[in-house]
Amino acid sequence: MEGLFESLPEGYREQLGRPGEYPFTRGIYPRMYLDRLWTMRQYAGFSTAEESNARYRYLLAQGQTGLSVAFDLPTQLGLDPDHPMSVGEVGRVGVSIATLEDMRKLFQGIPLDRVSTSMTINAPAMMLLALYLLVAEEQGVSWDKVSGTVQNDILKEYFARGTYIYPPGPSMRLVTDIFEFCAQRVPKWNTISISGYHIREAGATAAQEIAFTLADGKAYVRAALQRGLEVDAFAPRLSFFFAAHGDILEEAAKFRAARRLWARIMREEFGAKDPKSWMLRFHTQTGGSTLTAQEPLNNVVRTAYQALAAVLGGTQSLHTNAYDEALGLPTEKSALLALRTQQILAFESGVTRAVDPLGGSFYVEHLTDQLEKEAERLIQEIDALGGAVAAVEAGYFQRAIEESAWQFQKEVEEGQRVIVGVNRFADPNSPLNEPTPVQRIDPELHERRKRELAEFKAKRDGESVRVGLENLRQAARGSENLFPYVLEAFRRRATLGEVCGVLREEWGEYQPGR
């Protein structure tokens, strides 16, 4: 194989590169999965901390190699279970976390020095990471031993997902505060997962997913540099999160193009010297928006092909969706089958025996070049607007995604794009349409969580909590790093809603279109 590479024209060798070398088209490690498989990190969380903990321990016992926490909507919006806006949403799409006690229960019996954890949390990312670090501390685990990722990607929330709290300026301050604090105190932690997944799920094309994600990444790098951080001090801990949809070769090429673009951006545009700063490390999730309620067992096949695309593209970790997710949260059975899908791919398919199985394919290299060129054009458009923050404020991302989503839906409705079991081969009497059990959430959960929160508050020192929150308020009015103040407030037994509430009072809430 080495001789074959050397026989390629010089320009082609430079463009393609070797695995583990700049520009990382073929992967960020020289031997990729020959040395270590991707992390099998199934996204999970529902109802209470105790129930989610049981699911985590079950999946770890079944061979999962990392955790990925789904929080409910109130938690994602920094609201406690007793807030009026929490009604009907507590524990529905993820686990309800409001206190240090909740986080302690969530990771009961899980050693945080040996298991890495990804948390899908954005506006209150600092708060959930602070609670996690306090639990690690209680376990006797020093923070320099803790590893994982916090999503912390607020920009895409404004145009693709919607779980924002504060305006862009203060939100970016929280992001860079996390960069700075973790660079000093939690060196193994990935301080952001810059997310193309939600951009793609909202309706973006593969090229738009690359471009909009990397444009957001550039905005975070600029913000950190303006904060006075050295690029090589924080860039090696930046990570990314992409979707894997059904066009296998296009998706694999997408990941290759994204790696090459990011390497060039970091080395040439931002002057990073450390090769780790050039590497685009990423997690992948199979496409939730591709799952169908019709013939849900077909989703097993869709997910397997999408997972294959992610592995052929060189992902560092992977979540495979459960077949019943178009109907509800995964059951234990469907979650296990989703994990088994990854394990069969890893240990039976043979694709892990080659470092870059598709490298050198005329078609894949053409797709890689094509996607890179289109993504680069879009990034230049965003830069011309003043960067990603300005593009959000101008509505650029929103309009582009709406147009792509409309075009996709038009093609489905006109039959130009085939969705098996939906607009072709649809059979209402198909045995694949037999009722599918779904995960049920206890209807009494909301009231139970409110009682737990009331008991938590009754046992604490109210004056101590008030002091901690007031210290946070004063710091928010200045320019200090807020992480130590958030930690202090939680040590004094403040709740998530109280901590986020102080910042709401100081900074206000983001109002789209205003």
Side-chain angles (χ1 to χ4, degrees), residues 12 43 77 96 195 220 266 411 434 450 459:
Y12 192 76
Y43 184 51
L77 293 170
S96 171
S195 176
Y220 295 124
M266 292 306 296
E411 292 172 5
E434 292 177 354
K450 286 169 63 177
K459 294 177 182 177

Side-chain angles (χ1 to χ4, degrees), residues 230-247:
E230 293 291 332
V231 65
D232 287 320
F234 67 86
R237 302 316 303 177
L238 304 180
S239 64
F240 291 80
F241 174 25
F242 291 109
H245 280 206
D247 189 329

Side-chain angles (χ1 to χ4, degrees), residues 117-182:
T117 302
S118 173
M119 293 189 282
T120 300
I121 196 73
N122 295 284
M126 179 184 290
M127 296 72 185
L128 274 298
L129 177 54
L131 289 171
Y132 186 84
L133 292 176
L134 291 175
V135 171
E137 190 174 86
E138 289 180 353
Q139 290 187 3
V141 176
S142 62
W143 291 351
D144 62 351
K145 300 288 195 304
V146 174
S147 64
T149 304
V150 67
Q151 192 164 102
N152 195 29
D153 174 8
I154 196 60
L155 289 177
K156 61 92 176 53
E157 296 296 327
Y158 297 118
F159 62 87
R161 193 162 177 266
T163 59
Y164 45 74
I165 302 176
Y166 315 110
S171 295
M172 291 294 279
R173 176 184 175 182
L174 290 174
V175 170
T176 53
D177 278 358
I178 292 174
F179 287 4
E180 182 180 58
F181 183 86
C182 289

Side-chain angles (χ1 to χ4, degrees), residues 250-267:
E250 181 182 63
E251 293 297 288
K254 178 186 76 180
F255 301 129
R256 302 168 94 252
R259 268 196 301 268
R260 193 157 72 202
L261 261 174
W262 186 247
R264 195 162 67 244
I265 287 168
M266 292 306 296
R267 191 168 82 163

Side-chain angles (χ1 to χ4, degrees), residues 234-296:
F234 67 86
R237 302 316 303 177
L238 304 180
S239 64
F240 291 80
F241 174 25
F242 291 109
H245 280 206
D247 189 329
I248 294 175
L249 298 182
E250 181 182 63
E251 293 297 288
K254 178 186 76 180
F255 301 129
R256 302 168 94 252
R259 268 196 301 268
R260 193 157 72 202
L261 261 174
W262 186 247
R264 195 162 67 244
I265 287 168
M266 292 306 296
R267 191 168 82 163
E268 297 177 9
E269 189 169 338
F270 291 112
K273 304 298 183 186
D274 186 345
K276 292 182 179 179
S277 299
W278 309 334
M279 294 179 182
L280 184 145
R281 298 171 301 113
F282 67 98
H283 170 74
T284 308
Q285 180 172 338
T286 57
S289 64
T290 70
L291 303 178
T292 65
Q294 301 92 326
E295 299 191 345

